[in-house]
Amino acid sequence: MTAKVTLSFADETIADARRFAKREGLSLSAWMDQAAREKALREVFAAHAAAVGRAGLDLESASLADAQEVGMVDDLLFGGPPRAA
């Protein structure tokens, strides 16, 4: 479903948007839809990252530790780094 809305933009903003849309081969509406969707997703991901940080979780360190553990198991089982699939 598509909603028709009336929006106001600064002249410079709309000129940039038109230029970017043309460069990407999109209509202005499609480009603005994509830009708004990307901004909304960035907001969601930033809020999630902040919540993870407030919870004291260090997912990057946990992920790196998991990768190191996989490497150690591969060394023990196969005598070297993981084999290509």
Side-chain angles (χ1 to χ4, degrees), residues 50-59:
V52 166
R54 286 192 304 275
L57 302 175
D58 186 355
L59 299 179

Side-chain angles (χ1 to χ4, degrees), residues 10 15 17 25 30 32 40 43 50 59-60 62 64 66 68 74 76-77 81 84:
M32 295 296 269
E43 293 290 328
L59 299 179
E60 185 176 2
L64 292 172
D66 287 348
Q68 184 178 14
D74 282 340
L76 288 172
L77 293 176

Side-chain angles (χ1 to χ4, degrees), residues 60-82:
E60 185 176 2
S61 292
S63 178
L64 292 172
D66 287 348
Q68 184 178 14
E69 187 175 334
V70 166
M72 291 182 339
V73 170
D74 282 340
D75 285 345
L76 288 172
L77 293 176
F78 305 114

Side-chain angles (χ1 to χ4, degrees), residues 38-51:
E38 288 173 3
K39 173 66 174 167
L41 287 173
R42 281 193 305 273
E43 293 290 328
V44 169
F45 290 137
H48 179 261

Side-chain angles (χ1 to χ4, degrees), residues 17-35:
R18 284 187 171 121
R19 188 175 71 254
F20 295 138
K22 183 177 181 180
R23 182 182 69 191
E24 294 179 26
L26 298 172
S27 68
L28 179 59
S29 292
W31 191 89
M32 295 296 269
D33 182 66
Q34 181 180 339

